């Protein structure tokens, strides 16, 4: 049985992920603006800043994986299922389920914006056309 501290720790990390994704979204918009102005220096600066946020997202995902591995197998699998969005929780786990949904929705928006920017920049050579 997952303890409240396990739910809380995962929720805190999921909230950090959401904040970092928000930063990625904002920086992607700044990159699009810089591209429209043909401002390569600003574009590169925003790209670098965005990569820092993406690296932080990777670290958060690693921490969540470590948390799942540290739990007894059944609890680890339950938490992994909630974090992947394949399982909804009620009670103590409901806030985490809700945050996972918010994070997933934001990720979808970020991916759409990134895809649009990539296609605008690269045309047929875009990462998303490969």
């Amino acid at each position: 049985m997952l303890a409240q501290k396990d739910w809380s720790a995962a929720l805190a990390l999921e909230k950090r992920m959401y904040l970092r994704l928000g930063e990625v979204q904002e920086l992607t918009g700044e990159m699009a603006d810089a591209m429209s102005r043909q401002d390569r220096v600003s574009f590169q600066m925003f790209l670098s800043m965005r990569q820092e946020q993406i690296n932080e997202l990777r670290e958060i995902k690693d921490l969540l994986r470590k948390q799942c591995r540290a739990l007894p197998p059944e609890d680890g699998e339950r938490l992994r299922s909630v974090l992947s969005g394949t399982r909804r929780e009620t009670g103590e786990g409901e806030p985490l389920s809700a945050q996972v949904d918010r994070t997933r929705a934001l990720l979808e928006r970020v991916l759409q914006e990134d895809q649009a920017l990539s296609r605008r920049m690269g045309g047929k050579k875009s990462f998303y056309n490969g």
Side-chain angles (χ1 to χ4, degrees), residues 2 47 104 124:
L2 281 164
L47 181 63
R104 186 169 301 277
K124 293 184 186 224

Side-chain angles (χ1 to χ4, degrees), residues 96-108:
L96 178 60
S97 287
Q99 185 62 52
V100 165
D101 290 345
R102 286 189 293 275
T103 302
R104 186 169 301 277
L106 179 56
L107 176 60
E108 288 300 317

Side-chain angles (χ1 to χ4, degrees), residues 52-99:
E52 289 173 16
Q53 297 301 316
I54 291 170
N55 292 344
E56 176 78 16
L57 285 167
R58 284 188 184 122
E59 290 174 18
I60 295 167
K61 288 295 266 185
D62 285 345
L63 290 171
L64 286 166
R65 278 191 285 276
K66 285 178 186 175
Q67 181 183 2
C68 291
R69 284 193 308 267
L71 293 169
E74 187 176 306
D75 289 344
E77 184 55 39
R78 181 178 177 192
L79 184 56
R80 261 188 296 282
S81 295
V82 172
L83 292 169
S84 71
T86 59
R87 178 182 179 136
R88 296 281 310 161
E89 284 289 326
T90 57
E92 291 180 326
E94 196 281 327
L96 178 60
S97 287
Q99 185 62 52

